[in-house]
Amino acid sequence: MERLGRRLERRVTLFLNGEQRPGVEAPNVAELVSELQLVPATLLIEHNGTALHRHEWASRALAEGDRVEFIRVVAGG
């Protein structure tokens, strides 16, 4: 029996920048960014072909087979 307060373990296979990545536990895009230890301020993210605003990351659920593209933004001259 699952104890209260304990996170349910759910793992899916995603395609990150075109490469298959099994065993992802993040339930949404925001947690995926955290799980991968990426710097949010440097990213543009596309989820299943849709570009996301940063405020949408936490509400965008991830499911088996989803495609996520990370585009790193670099400033400078």
Side-chain angles (χ1 to χ4, degrees):
M1 182 176 250
E2 192 69 31
R3 290 180 179 251
L4 290 177
R6 187 172 157 197
R7 183 177 170 184
L8 294 174
E9 197 169 307
R10 179 188 76 95
R11 296 176 185 216
V12 296
T13 297
L14 302 177
F15 291 87
L16 304 180
N17 288 2
E19 293 186 22
Q20 187 175 19
R21 183 166 183 140
V24 176
E25 293 183 35
N28 59 52
V29 172
E31 290 204 27
L32 178 63
V33 170
S34 179
E35 185 176 304
L36 297 175
Q37 299 179 347
L38 301 173
V39 179
T42 66
L43 294 175
L44 294 174
I45 298 179
E46 186 178 282
H47 177 237
N48 293 331
T50 301
L52 303 177
H53 292 279
R54 194 171 305 151
H55 69 269
E56 296 175 293
W57 295 1
S59 63
R60 185 60 77 127
L62 295 172
E64 183 70 28
D66 279 1
R67 297 186 175 277
V68 180
E69 298 290 327
F70 296 109
I71 301 155
R72 208 172 281 281
V73 178
V74 180

